[in-house]
């Protein structure tokens, strides 16, 4: 089966500063992968490459079998992304935010509303379709952004630290919703975070440290008998290579 995401020997530097130093990993279709790393590990850089904001000078990135370097339009059509900075238009209703996004993707208007309702239902947000984004709490705004990222029916969903600024309850709800999307809708999810408690034992975990993958496997296997937090901290401490 073609993997949802394949990243092979990707290198990237900002001038003399190396941000990614030969990163390789694969996420199978329908899997939830937590990309764990402390600040500065290279998570946002990898997201910028995967969303086409920057190009990798070395290595290969594939979404649902499409090479981002050679067939960027086809690859990007398979990717939905939620960035750290919120991007909803606060003066529009949730539904309008989604249908405007659909228009940008060339989805016909009569089809867009149906897709929006389906996407909102997947995030338990259908009852908020007509609320102004400004009137939503932080957790619901985030869910609306995820619903919007699903409008073009991507195979892969990328989320860059999506729970930043949310309280514990909203964080838990969002994490559960996205796990359900991977399980029920077969979406491949890459969830960047530095918060280990967002990871479940069966999740794939890729630990990034100073631009390198220092662990890749099921969370329960990487952690073994120790708490994952301890393993993560010891692998990414200042002294760790
Ligand atoms: P993370 O998202 O894991 O916090 P980043 O991808 O933002 O990590 O950063 C990886 C490395 O690249 C860090 O050392 C950071 O200081 C550096 N970096 C990120 N963006 C820039 C930039 N625009 N210019 C120079 N260095 C950068």
């Amino acid at each position: 089966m073609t993997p949802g995401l394949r990243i092979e020997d990707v290198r990237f530097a900002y001038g003399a500063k190396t941000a990614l130093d030969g990163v390789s990993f694969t996420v199978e279709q329908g899997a939830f992968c937590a990309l764990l790393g402390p600040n500065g590990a290279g998570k946002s850089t990898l997201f910028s490459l995967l969303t086409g904001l920057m190009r990798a000078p070395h290595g290969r990135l594939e979404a649902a079998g499409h090479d981002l370097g050679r067939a960027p339009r086809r690859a990007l059509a398979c990717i939905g992304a939620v960035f750290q900075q919120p991007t909803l238009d606060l003066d529009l209703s949730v539904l309008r935010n989604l249908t405007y996004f659909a228009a940008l993707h060339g989805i016909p208007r009569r089809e867009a509303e149906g897709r929006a309702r389906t996407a909102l239902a997947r995030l338990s947000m259908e009852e908020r379709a007509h609320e102004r984004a400004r009137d939503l709490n932080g957790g619901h705004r985030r869910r609306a952004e995820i619903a919007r990222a699903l409008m073009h029916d991507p195979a892969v969903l990328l989320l860059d630290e999506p729970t930043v600024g949310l309280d514990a309850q909203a964080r838990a709800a969002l994490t559960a919703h996205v796990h359900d999307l991977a399980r029920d809708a077969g979406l491949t999810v890459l969830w960047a975070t530095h918060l280990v408690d967002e990871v479940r034992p069966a999740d794939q975990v890729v630990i990034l440290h100073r631009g390198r993958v220092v662990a890749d496997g099921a969370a329960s296997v990487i952690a073994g008998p120790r708490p994952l937090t301890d393993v993560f901290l010891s692998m990414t401490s200042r002294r760790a290579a």
Side-chain angles (χ1 to χ4, degrees):
M1 194 164 65
T2 311
L5 274 177
R6 197 158 78 90
I7 292 156
E8 205 176 275
D9 199 17
V10 168
R11 291 155 203 260
F12 188 88
Y14 298 94
K17 171 81 200 159
T18 298
L20 298 174
D21 191 7
V23 168
S24 302
F25 63 91
T26 296
V27 186
E28 297 305 332
Q29 278 178 38
F32 183 106
C33 177
L35 181 66
L36 276 178
N39 286 336
K43 304 183 295 299
S44 294
T45 302
L46 186 58
F47 269 68
S48 296
L49 299 176
L50 282 168
T51 50
L53 296 177
M54 305 190 302
R55 276 184 84 115
H58 188 279
R60 194 178 165 97
L61 299 114
E62 282 178 13
H66 302 293
D67 186 329
L68 260 152
R70 290 188 185 174
R73 284 181 62 165
R74 245 184 272 168
L76 291 172
C78 299
I79 292 176
V82 178
F83 295 98
Q84 258 181 53
Q85 296 300 326
T87 56
L88 289 177
D89 186 326
L90 296 181
D91 292 321
L92 296 182
S93 72
V94 170
L95 189 64
R96 291 299 267 166
N97 265 286
L98 270 60
T99 53
Y100 273 165
F101 179 85
L104 290 177
H105 277 264
I107 297 167
R109 208 168 151 181
R110 57 186 179 285
E111 197 184 321
E113 196 165 318
R115 284 199 187 204
R117 292 194 183 280
T118 305
L120 288 170
R122 283 161 115 186
L123 277 303
S124 305
M125 283 285 289
E126 60 271 56
E127 282 165 15
R128 307 202 176 263
H130 296 291
E131 287 184 28
R132 262 194 338 167
R134 189 180 300 284
D135 298 329
L136 301 179
N137 66 30
H140 287 139
R141 285 186 194 180
R142 259 348 209 166
R143 280 200 237 169
E145 285 193 287
I146 295 171
R148 187 181 57 182
L150 300 177
M151 285 292 285
H152 59 299
D153 203 17
V156 180
L157 180 63
L158 308 175
L159 304 109
D160 190 4
E161 307 251 6
T163 61
V164 164
L166 300 184
D167 62 31
Q169 212 176 3
R171 224 152 60 74
L174 195 73
T175 314
H177 268 104
V178 177
H179 275 91
D180 289 351
L181 282 174
R183 191 193 58 210
D184 301 338
L187 261 180
T188 303
V189 175
L190 187 66
W191 171 285
T193 186
H194 62 278
L195 301 166
V196 179
D197 64 346
E198 292 175 353
V199 179
R200 295 184 176 174
D203 292 343
Q204 179 183 354
V205 169
V206 171
I207 300 181
L208 207 56
H209 179 51
R210 294 180 180 161
R212 291 186 179 172
V213 173
V214 293
D216 176 6
S220 56
V221 174
I222 289 177
R226 299 165 66 196
L228 183 62
T229 309
D230 292 0
V231 175
F232 172 64
L233 288 176
S234 69
M235 283 182 173
T236 58
S237 68
R238 281 181 187 280
R239 276 176 292 112

